[in-house]
Amino acid sequence: MPGGVAGPYHRGVKRLMAWAAALPPRVQDLALALALTVVDVGSLVPYRSQIHPFWLAVLLVAAQSIPLIWRRRWPVAVLLVAGFPRILYDQLNLGYAPLPLANAIALYTVVERCSPLTRRIVLVLVIFGSTVSQLAPGHNQPYDAIVSALISLTAWLAAVLSRTRRAYIAEVEGRVARAEADRDTGAVRAAAAERTRMTRELHDVV
């Protein structure tokens, strides 16, 4: 991309990302769920004549992404609700399934927000669900399992990085707050000591 075009393009992307980040979380999740639904359903359209029944495929694909609207409020429930349509889609062997991005985002939310015990239980459930899907008819190629595992692993690692970054920021902010408190305490003590000194000097003068 030429330099004259890249500059405005990157600035536009940054402004768009800043605008999106300023939206309320629920609005962000609503936009994400709707956009992913449109993309996933759109990816099925070219294969409409080969997917039977097509309406059921659309319904199951939409049922995977729509629950993301509530992913921050009920992360575990959303992961389970979004995962069941995916497993059913594979069991029915409808074919041409979109990438499980909605399930990956739901997994990311659980790992990023829930307790260690919940994360362990969810890991077992995800492995079980993925195994059931991969054993379904139509998943005869090894790359199916590899792609599915890579997507889940990427979501998991991204969530761990996000948790680590958030903990680091909280720790730094805590240190800054403690340093400011210590500085304020020191200033108060210094002022008290100065007042005491001036009182003594005044007493000596008197």
Side-chain angles (χ1 to χ4, degrees):
M1 182 179 293
V5 178
Y9 173 78
H10 289 304
R11 286 194 296 270
V13 171
K14 288 181 179 179
R15 283 196 295 267
L16 179 61
M17 293 179 64
W19 175 80
L23 294 173
R26 178 61 63 84
V27 177
Q28 294 179 19
D29 293 339
L30 174 62
L32 173 64
L34 294 179
L36 194 56
T37 300
V38 171
V39 171
D40 286 348
V41 171
S43 68
L44 297 179
V45 173
Y47 309 101
R48 181 172 183 174
S49 61
Q50 304 174 56
I51 301 176
H52 304 286
F54 182 74
W55 66 268
L56 180 58
V58 170
L59 180 63
L60 292 176
V61 166
Q64 296 175 46
S65 51
I66 291 298
L68 293 178
I69 299 173
W70 301 278
R71 70 185 183 93
R72 301 184 205 229
R73 187 170 184 180
W74 299 299
V76 176
V78 167
L79 177 63
L80 296 177
V81 172
F84 178 75
R86 179 68 187 201
I87 295 174
L88 183 57
Y89 191 105
D90 291 332
Q91 289 295 318
L92 295 175
N93 194 22
L94 295 173
Y96 305 100
L99 292 175
L101 297 181
N103 307 99
I105 294 172
L107 174 61
Y108 166 90
T109 307
V110 170
V111 178
E112 204 264 345
R113 291 177 169 265
C114 295
S115 65
L117 177 60
T118 302
R119 296 200 299 270
R120 294 189 187 99
I121 295 174
V122 163
L123 177 60
V124 173
L125 293 177
V126 168
I127 293 175
F128 174 77
S130 298
T131 302
V132 171
S133 288
Q134 293 304 317
L135 293 177
H139 289 269
N140 302 321
Q141 300 298 328
Y143 68 80
D144 287 340
I146 294 174
V147 170
S148 177
L150 285 177
I151 291 175
S152 298
L153 180 61
T154 300
W156 189 283
L157 293 178
V160 170
L161 291 175
S162 177
R163 288 176 62 92
T164 303
R165 177 178 176 274
R166 189 172 53 178
Y168 174 75
I169 292 174
E171 181 182 356
V172 171
E173 290 177 346
R175 289 179 180 177
V176 171
R178 288 193 296 271
E180 291 179 348
D182 292 342
R183 184 182 62 186
D184 293 341
T185 302
V188 170
R189 290 176 179 174
E194 183 64 16
R195 285 195 298 271
T196 302
R197 185 186 65 80
M198 293 177 64
T199 301
R200 288 176 180 173
E201 291 179 354
L202 180 60
H203 179 269
D204 294 341
V205 170
V206 172

